């Protein structure tokens, strides 16, 4: 797993073989981010990464200059791995704790306020979330029965800022083209992304 571009471009991370998480492939990740730059200015943006898994998307968002990245992951080992990857971006890992979540303050690298890890269930997090984001990215298990409800939850809860976008990674069996906030679909190999915006389609 590697960071495609940004401040930490080229950094590699070895994913433990015991992990069940299915990280977004580097090919798919590079291509979808090439699309997303048309929608969002990552420099200073606030982002939410749901079902973070290995942290591949969170690391990319941090590298690209987001002012805040919130990673939500339920699995204990996956969450620990994400935290360790974030911490490894600093040559001077001085631990600190804030709000029950671990992060690290380091000069010239990832500031304490940039990354926040939440170990918990994504739907429960969304239910209590009060913050709005420029970008929300979700990569749930493809077989998750509640997967199709995610766009409705995001927009009903008004979790996006005025020109924010929601990106949902999913399998080939899902088609969101009829959703009022659907903008476009991209497919890279077996990986599908549906992009949603706050602007509703005409006539909806």
């Amino acid at each position: 797993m590697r960071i495609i571009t940004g401040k930490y471009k080229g950094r590699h991370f070895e994913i433990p073989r015991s992990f069940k998480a299915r990280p977004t492939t580097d090919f798919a990740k590079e291509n979808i981010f090439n699309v997303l730059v048309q929608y969002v200015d990552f420099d200073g943006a606030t982002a939410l990464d749901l079902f973070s898994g290995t942290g591949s998307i969170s690391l990319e968002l941090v590298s690209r200059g987001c002012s805040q990245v919130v990673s939500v992951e339920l699995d204990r080992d996956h969450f620990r791995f994400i935290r360790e990857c974030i911490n490894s971006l600093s040559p001077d890992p001085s631990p600190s704790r804030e709000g029950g979540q671990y992060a690290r303050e380091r000069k010239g690298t990832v500031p304490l306020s940039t990354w926040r890890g939440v170990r918990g269930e994504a739907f429960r997090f969304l239910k209590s979330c009060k913050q709005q984001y420029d970008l929300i990215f979700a990569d749930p298990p493809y077989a998750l029965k509640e997967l199709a409800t995610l766009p409705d939850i995001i927009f009903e809860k008004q979790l996006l800022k005025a020109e924010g976008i929601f990106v949902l990674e999913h399998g080939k069996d899902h088609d969101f083209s009829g959703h009022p906030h659907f903008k476009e679909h991209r497919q890279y190999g077996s990986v599908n992304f549906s992009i949603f915006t706050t602007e509703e389609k005409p006539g909806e």
Side-chain angles (χ1 to χ4, degrees):
M1 181 177 76
R2 68 185 176 92
I3 295 178
I4 303 299
T5 195
K7 184 174 183 177
Y8 304 105
K9 178 181 179 180
R11 287 292 298 271
H12 284 260
F13 304 89
E14 201 67 36
I15 301 173
R17 293 186 178 182
S18 60
F19 276 20
K20 299 177 181 178
R22 167 195 38 77
T24 303
T25 65
D26 287 344
F27 172 73
K29 181 170 66 173
E30 182 171 10
N31 278 281
I32 192 61
F33 270 92
N34 286 340
V35 173
L36 296 184
V37 294
Q38 304 171 36
Y39 290 96
V40 60
D41 180 4
F42 290 103
D43 189 21
T46 56
L48 172 63
D49 181 17
L50 298 168
F51 308 94
S52 296
T54 62
S56 175
I57 298 300
S58 291
L59 288 163
E60 195 70 35
L61 293 168
V62 167
S63 183
R64 289 171 185 252
C66 288
S67 63
Q68 184 187 42
V69 177
V70 179
S71 306
V72 181
E73 173 55 41
L74 179 60
D75 186 276
R76 178 188 60 187
D77 293 333
H78 295 174
F79 181 80
R80 182 186 297 117
F81 177 75
I82 298 169
R83 188 177 66 205
E84 290 173 352
C85 288
I86 292 289
N87 290 342
S88 74
L89 298 177
S90 168
D92 178 26
S94 303
S96 63
R97 186 171 185 174
E98 178 173 298
Q101 305 299 335
Y102 287 94
R104 303 201 178 192
E105 182 87 57
R106 43 185 91 73
K107 185 177 180 180
T109 57
V110 181
L112 183 63
S113 59
T114 296
W115 181 78
R116 182 167 72 93
V118 177
R119 187 188 162 209
E121 202 273 328
F123 288 96
R124 182 175 297 179
F125 174 85
L126 290 175
K127 184 177 180 180
S128 61
C129 183
K130 304 297 182 183
Q131 183 177 351
Q132 289 186 319
Y133 299 89
D134 295 297
L135 168 66
I136 298 177
F137 191 102
D139 180 14
Y142 287 180
L144 184 70
K145 63 180 182 179
E146 300 92 351
L147 186 151
T149 67
L150 282 166
D152 287 338
I153 294 173
I154 297 297
F155 290 102
E156 286 172 4
K157 292 280 294 179
Q158 299 182 353
L159 298 180
L160 289 174
K161 294 182 181 180
E163 297 183 358
I165 64 168
F166 171 49
V167 183
L168 176 59
E169 181 175 340
H170 57 86
K172 63 181 181 179
D173 296 330
H174 288 280
D175 179 5
F176 293 95
S177 59
H179 194 279
H181 290 278
F182 175 82
K183 187 67 175 181
E184 64 173 301
H185 168 262
R186 297 288 177 129
Q187 180 177 0
Y188 307 106
S190 61
V191 182
N192 292 263
F193 297 98
S194 288
I195 300 174
F196 305 81
T197 65
T198 54
E199 181 181 358
E200 293 191 22
K201 291 187 292 187
E204 300 291 347

